[in-house]
Amino acid sequence: MSKVMIIGAGGVGRVVAFKCAQHPEVFSEILLASRTKSKCDVIAADAKAATGHQHITTAAVDAENVPELAALIRSFGPKLVIHVALPYQDLTIMEACLETGVHYLDTANYEPKDEAKFEYSWQWAYQDRFKEKGIMAVLGCGFDPGATSVFTARAAKHFFDEMHYLDIVDCNAGDHGKAFATNFNPEINIREITQNGRYYENGKWVEIPPHSEMKVLNYPDIGPKDSYLIYHEELESLVKNFPSLKRARFWMTFGQEYLTHLRVIQNIGMARIDPVKYKGVDIIPLEFLKAVLPDPGELGENYTGQTSIGCRIRGIKNGKEQTYYIWNNCSHQAAFDETGAQGVSYTTGVPAMIGAMMVLTGEWSGTGVFNVEEFNPDPFLDKMNEYGLPWHEEVGVDLEF
Amino acid sequence: MSKVMIIGAGGVGRVVAFKCAQHPEVFSEILLASRTKSKCDVIAADAKAATGHQHITTAAVDAENVPELAALIRSFGPKLVIHVALPYQDLTIMEACLETGVHYLDTANYEPKDEAKFEYSWQWAYQDRFKEKGIMAVLGCGFDPGATSVFTARAAKHFFDEMHYLDIVDCNAGDHGKAFATNFNPEINIREITQNGRYYENGKWVEIPPHSEMKVLNYPDIGPKDSYLIYHEELESLVKNFPSLKRARFWMTFGQEYLTHLRVIQNIGMARIDPVKYKGVDIIPLEFLKAVLPDPGELGENYTGQTSIGCRIRGIKNGKEQTYYIWNNCSHQAAFDETGAQGVSYTTGVPAMIGAMMVLTGEWSGTGVFNVEEFNPDPFLDKMNEYGLPWHEEVGVDLEF
């Protein structure tokens, strides 16, 4: 029975609040905080009505203000802070956790506002301070990173003596009926996917122009989809934690229309993250675009189809070549019916709740800063099956690579 | 020998200032005014250096502020105001001209800021007041409207007893080397071309979805280009002033990439003209997009290729069917070499200067509000040949319609 504090009231915050509220035996008291308290109030009321949880409160907090965060943490007294606000805010929330001696969990690595740079260096640098304080920081516990990292840990534990080739494949075959929308924070989404592609091979990182490598891959229950090699942050920690990997890549599906929209957004300057002076105000085009695009939290209602995310791995078991595919498919409509949020928010929020459960129940323990593949994958994967993200695996499968 | 005041320091303002400065025998003193005086100063210095004109001064003015405009007009004492700033500002400048008893000339019809509505009603409503004051307002004296209207007047005067079918064809076969840019104020440009198409037939206006009617047309010295039926403001006055017309249409060339960019700009909400609250400021997405897109005034340097704009007319002469095509081709590079502005600014600015010359020399006279096809086309067309926009005509030509 523990108190948990959730920061962030977007689609993922909604899912985390709902899923924590379904388990009062672990999350006995929940505080949901974000910049805008009214957003938290709506989610809290919905989660109470859906689950009957009696102890969900809300607060306003500026997640970039360490003293304000620390004061709120002290007054509520949680055992763990689940951070599902913006990646810009990872470091201030980690600082507040250090100051108050409270565990930390997030779903996306820190990135500076003025630079599209995805790497764990900033957060890994907190290793010694978290150790000294006797607390843990769990990094990247959404779906990808998160579930994909745990999938890889399961493969390593049960199916391979040596993993050589890892391909993470992320398909969203959903249809939200809008001409263009992003499935999570458009600012973060566009920063991420307009970057150069990058993958790991033979000890080195190889960089390629954005969307310059495509493969048609088949996804279970979905079929063939154009899949593009992009960089994704879990690659960095996975090749460090599984040094037998010779190559690690990440593939994401995009339709032609989506890529056309992205290309134009870049061409017209609306993906810029440097400020433009307008009416005397410094405005970052990409941030303003976010204000104009559909709110990803409101895509759920008419969202059909499903996501399919998994890991395809080739390596050696008992001296013989082995192939393995582990994946989850998630229906946008089922996610919406349960939580009022679409599948992309759902697949990120459920693993965050399960990770929090692992920490609070002691299944995952230690002091310092961790990526989730460093823990025992089995209890986490059991909970995925139980709590809405059932997964499947196949050995000896055609990996298409 | 007259004083002229030019309002607007964009690409067209630059061309008008240069072209007026080339003719001190008509424009003995020139005042160039705009919101930002420093932009006027640059143009004035360049125009003086290029032409040797000794009397070009500059001033700051808010073109939406009638008392401020009237005070500036009074202190300078021009015979005519050439308005080449924004179409939103037509009415305030007309008011200031009425207040001070000074002739008025513009290149684009008034449109309200919050509505994309192109029609002359607002400006035609000034008819009686301009008459009573004993001054004239010359509306739409750029290229289209402007030169195209005078082309049509020439056709009516010399080549037809009855004009039946008018197609204005506007091709920009230039290449500015940018992924996407508009050739004049992007805000005005995008408002104009994202509207429904509209044309006149048998006494009625017919409306069609944007870019839903395309014809491949051949342009002299250029070749075949995809040309789309769009609405353009001169159609309104031409069918009124030439009532024998059974049909009047306007065609503009767009490349596939340009249309793709436009479509995406609309899809992502950046063509919206209603305000979005951002950082406490009301921001109109299309206005902000303008701040991010390349400045059309700076496209000139590497702009290659040419424009070709003209009128294709079918009707009756001496009881027999007659066809007629009149057009001008303008080279972007030649325009830039002469004035530092590209061809689209040049083709708009030169007719504005010539129209001003017509008024100041008395070739065009009268009191009230006029569209340019109501005047004698011949002296205007002579000056076009002389001052940088030579035109060509052909009788009995295949009109492709």
Side-chain angles (χ1 to χ4, degrees):
Chain A
M1 301 262 294
S2 306
K3 291 182 178 179
V4 68
M5 175 167 154
I6 304 166
I7 303 178
V12 180
R14 166 174 279 270
V15 172
V16 175
F18 266 70
K19 300 302 288 193
C20 287
Q22 288 173 0
H23 301 285
E25 73 284 2
V26 177
F27 307 100
S28 54
E29 288 183 44
I30 299 166
L31 171 63
L32 179 60
S34 82
R35 187 186 309 268
T36 313
K37 185 172 174 293
S38 58
K39 285 174 143 188
C40 301
D41 292 338
V42 171
I43 294 173
D46 290 352
K48 278 184 194 173
T51 65
H53 197 295
Q54 296 300 311
H55 304 286
I56 310 178
T57 51
T58 62
V61 73
D62 175 356
E64 291 169 31
N65 183 325
V66 179
E68 202 182 297
L69 284 165
L72 185 63
I73 294 172
R74 274 201 195 90
S75 80
F76 178 62
K79 239 177 132 167
L80 169 73
V81 171
I82 302 176
H83 161 35
V84 286
L86 292 172
Y88 312 139
Q89 299 155 343
D90 288 5
L91 302 190
T92 46
I93 299 175
M94 289 178 83
E95 288 290 346
C97 285
L98 274 170
E99 202 176 309
T100 53
V102 166
H103 300 310
Y104 168 90
L105 180 143
D106 70 27
T107 64
N109 69 195
Y110 173 73
E111 43 176 308
K113 261 192 190 169
D114 55 355
E115 210 183 341
K117 202 171 166 185
F118 303 93
E119 54 176 68
Y120 280 114
S121 59
W122 289 282
Q123 293 183 274
W124 283 344
Y126 280 76
Q127 182 66 275
D128 293 343
R129 293 173 66 200
F130 270 73
K131 262 198 208 309
E132 280 156 27
K133 193 74 183 184
I135 53 174
M136 67 194 303
V138 179
L139 306 185
C141 196
F143 206 100
D144 42 344
T148 53
S149 319
V150 176
F151 285 167
T152 307
R154 173 174 173 82
K157 184 174 176 182
H158 299 292
F159 294 91
F160 290 93
D161 298 323
E162 265 186 45
M163 295 193 297
H164 290 164
Y165 301 101
L166 166 67
D167 287 282
I168 302 175
V169 294
D170 179 336
C171 171
N172 182 359
D175 179 6
H176 47 55
K178 308 260 180 195
F180 181 77
T182 59
N183 290 300
F184 58 98
N185 188 314
E187 191 187 338
I188 307 301
N189 188 209
I190 292 172
R191 280 165 75 117
E192 182 182 272
I193 61 187
T194 55
Q195 289 313 294
N196 277 343
R198 194 146 56 101
Y199 63 98
Y200 177 85
E201 192 163 39
N202 299 324
K204 278 186 285 206
W205 291 98
V206 182
E207 203 149 322
I208 61 172
H211 315 128
S212 60
E213 198 164 332
M214 191 276 279
K215 269 181 112 59
V216 177
L217 297 177
N218 278 281
Y219 295 88
D221 286 332
I222 291 170
K225 290 279 171 191
D226 291 358
S227 307
Y228 292 83
L229 193 160
I230 68 169
Y231 180 67
H232 220 244
E233 62 194 68
E234 64 263 53
L235 298 177
E236 185 184 10
S237 69
L238 288 170
V239 302
K240 181 177 153 238
N241 289 315
F242 301 105
S244 68
L245 284 170
K246 296 179 180 175
R247 190 182 66 199
R249 303 182 296 191
F250 187 101
W251 304 82
M252 189 175 272
T253 59
F254 300 111
Q256 275 312 311
E257 262 296 272
Y258 189 85
L259 292 179
T260 296
H261 278 70
L262 272 188
R263 182 170 62 83
V264 170
I265 285 169
Q266 291 179 286
N267 281 348
I268 63 177
M270 288 305 297
R272 284 169 58 182
I273 56 176
D274 59 310
V276 171
K277 198 57 108 190
Y278 182 75
K279 285 189 173 177
V281 184
D282 271 339
I283 292 180
I284 293 170
L286 185 52
E287 281 185 14
F288 179 69
L289 180 61
K290 176 184 161 190
V292 178
L293 284 176
D295 178 350
E298 282 164 21
L299 295 178
E301 196 151 6
N302 299 302
Y303 216 137
T304 58
Q306 53 186 340
T307 63
S308 179
I309 314 175
C311 299
R312 303 187 185 188
I313 304 170
R314 182 189 304 274
I316 301 292
K317 180 73 175 178
N318 300 326
K320 287 203 294 202
E321 177 154 291
Q322 165 93 307
T323 61
Y324 175 74
Y325 181 17
I326 176 169
W327 74 93
N328 159 262
N329 273 29
C330 175
S331 146
H332 287 292
Q333 201 53 62
F336 183 76
D337 291 344
E338 182 186 339
T339 63
Q342 33 90 346
V344 176
S345 299
Y346 190 87
T347 54
T348 309
V350 173
M353 178 279 285
I354 295 173
M357 196 177 255
M358 295 293 105
V359 173
L360 296 178
T361 58
E363 291 280 4
W364 289 358
S365 62
T367 61
V369 173
F370 299 89
N371 294 90
V372 295
E373 66 271 20
E374 299 177 65
F375 299 117
N376 179 9
D378 299 332
F380 185 99
L381 289 170
D382 289 346
K383 296 297 180 198
M384 276 183 67
N385 275 329
E386 226 175 305
Y387 298 149
L389 293 176
W391 46 274
H392 312 274
E393 64 188 355
E394 233 178 295
V395 177
V397 67
D398 174 9
L399 296 180
E400 305 185 274
F401 292 106
Chain B
M1 301 264 291
S2 308
K3 292 182 179 181
V4 69
M5 175 168 154
I6 303 165
I7 303 179
V12 179
R14 165 174 281 269
V15 172
V16 175
F18 266 69
K19 300 303 288 194
C20 288
Q22 289 173 0
H23 301 285
E25 72 285 1
V26 177
F27 307 100
S28 54
E29 289 182 44
I30 299 166
L31 171 63
L32 179 60
S34 81
R35 187 186 310 267
T36 313
K37 184 171 174 294
S38 58
K39 284 174 143 189
C40 301
D41 292 338
V42 171
I43 294 172
D46 290 353
K48 277 183 193 173
T51 66
H53 197 293
Q54 296 300 310
H55 304 288
I56 310 178
T57 51
T58 62
V61 73
D62 175 356
E64 291 170 30
N65 184 324
V66 178
E68 200 182 298
L69 284 164
L72 185 63
I73 294 172
R74 274 199 195 93
S75 80
F76 178 62
K79 240 179 132 163
L80 169 73
V81 171
I82 302 176
H83 161 34
V84 286
L86 292 172
Y88 313 138
Q89 299 155 344
D90 288 5
L91 302 189
T92 46
I93 299 174
M94 288 178 83
E95 288 290 345
C97 286
L98 274 170
E99 201 175 311
T100 53
V102 167
H103 299 309
Y104 168 90
L105 180 145
D106 70 26
T107 64
N109 67 196
Y110 172 73
E111 44 176 307
K113 261 192 191 169
D114 55 356
E115 211 184 341
K117 202 170 165 186
F118 303 91
E119 55 175 68
Y120 280 114
S121 59
W122 289 282
Q123 292 183 276
W124 283 345
Y126 280 75
Q127 181 68 273
D128 293 343
R129 295 173 65 199
F130 270 73
K131 263 197 208 305
E132 281 156 26
K133 193 74 184 183
I135 53 174
M136 66 194 301
V138 178
L139 307 186
C141 196
F143 207 100
D144 42 344
T148 53
S149 320
V150 176
F151 284 168
T152 307
R154 174 174 172 82
K157 183 173 176 182
H158 299 292
F159 295 92
F160 290 93
D161 298 323
E162 266 186 44
M163 295 193 295
H164 290 166
Y165 301 101
L166 165 67
D167 288 282
I168 302 174
V169 293
D170 179 337
C171 170
N172 182 359
D175 179 6
H176 47 56
K178 308 261 180 195
F180 180 77
T182 60
N183 290 300
F184 57 98
N185 188 314
E187 191 186 337
I188 307 301
N189 187 210
I190 291 172
R191 281 164 75 116
E192 182 182 271
I193 60 187
T194 56
Q195 289 314 293
N196 277 343
R198 194 147 55 102
Y199 63 99
Y200 176 85
E201 193 164 39
N202 299 324
K204 278 187 284 205
W205 291 98
V206 182
E207 202 149 321
I208 60 172
H211 315 128
S212 59
E213 197 162 334
M214 191 275 279
K215 270 183 111 58
V216 177
L217 297 176
N218 277 281
Y219 295 87
D221 286 333
I222 291 170
K225 289 280 171 190
D226 291 358
S227 307
Y228 292 83
L229 193 159
I230 68 169
Y231 180 67
H232 221 244
E233 63 194 68
E234 62 264 53
L235 298 178
E236 185 184 10
S237 69
L238 288 170
V239 301
K240 179 176 155 239
N241 289 315
F242 300 105
S244 69
L245 283 171
K246 297 179 179 173
R247 190 181 66 199
R249 303 182 295 192
F250 188 101
W251 304 81
M252 189 175 273
T253 58
F254 300 110
Q256 276 312 311
E257 262 297 272
Y258 190 84
L259 292 178
T260 296
H261 278 70
L262 272 188
R263 182 171 62 83
V264 170
I265 286 169
Q266 292 179 284
N267 281 347
I268 63 176
M270 289 304 298
R272 284 169 56 181
I273 57 176
D274 59 311
V276 171
K277 196 62 106 186
Y278 181 75
K279 285 190 174 176
V281 184
D282 271 339
I283 293 181
I284 292 171
L286 185 52
E287 281 185 13
F288 179 70
L289 180 61
K290 177 185 162 190
V292 177
L293 284 176
D295 178 349
E298 282 165 20
L299 295 178
E301 197 153 4
N302 301 302
Y303 216 137
T304 58
Q306 54 186 338
T307 63
S308 178
I309 315 176
C311 300
R312 302 186 185 188
I313 304 171
R314 181 188 304 274
I316 301 291
K317 181 72 175 178
N318 301 326
K320 285 204 294 203
E321 176 154 290
Q322 165 94 308
T323 61
Y324 176 74
Y325 181 16
I326 176 169
W327 74 94
N328 160 262
N329 274 28
C330 176
S331 146
H332 287 292
Q333 201 54 61
F336 183 76
D337 291 344
E338 182 187 339
T339 64
Q342 34 89 345
V344 177
S345 300
Y346 190 87
T347 53
T348 308
V350 173
M353 178 280 285
I354 295 173
M357 197 177 254
M358 295 294 105
V359 173
L360 296 178
T361 59
E363 292 279 5
W364 289 358
S365 60
T367 60
V369 173
F370 299 89
N371 293 89
V372 295
E373 67 270 21
E374 300 178 65
F375 300 116
N376 179 8
D378 298 332
F380 184 99
L381 289 169
D382 288 346
K383 296 298 180 199
M384 277 183 66
N385 275 328
E386 227 174 304
Y387 298 148
L389 293 176
W391 47 274
H392 313 273
E393 64 188 355
E394 235 179 294
V395 178
V397 69
D398 174 8
L399 296 180
E400 304 185 274
F401 292 107

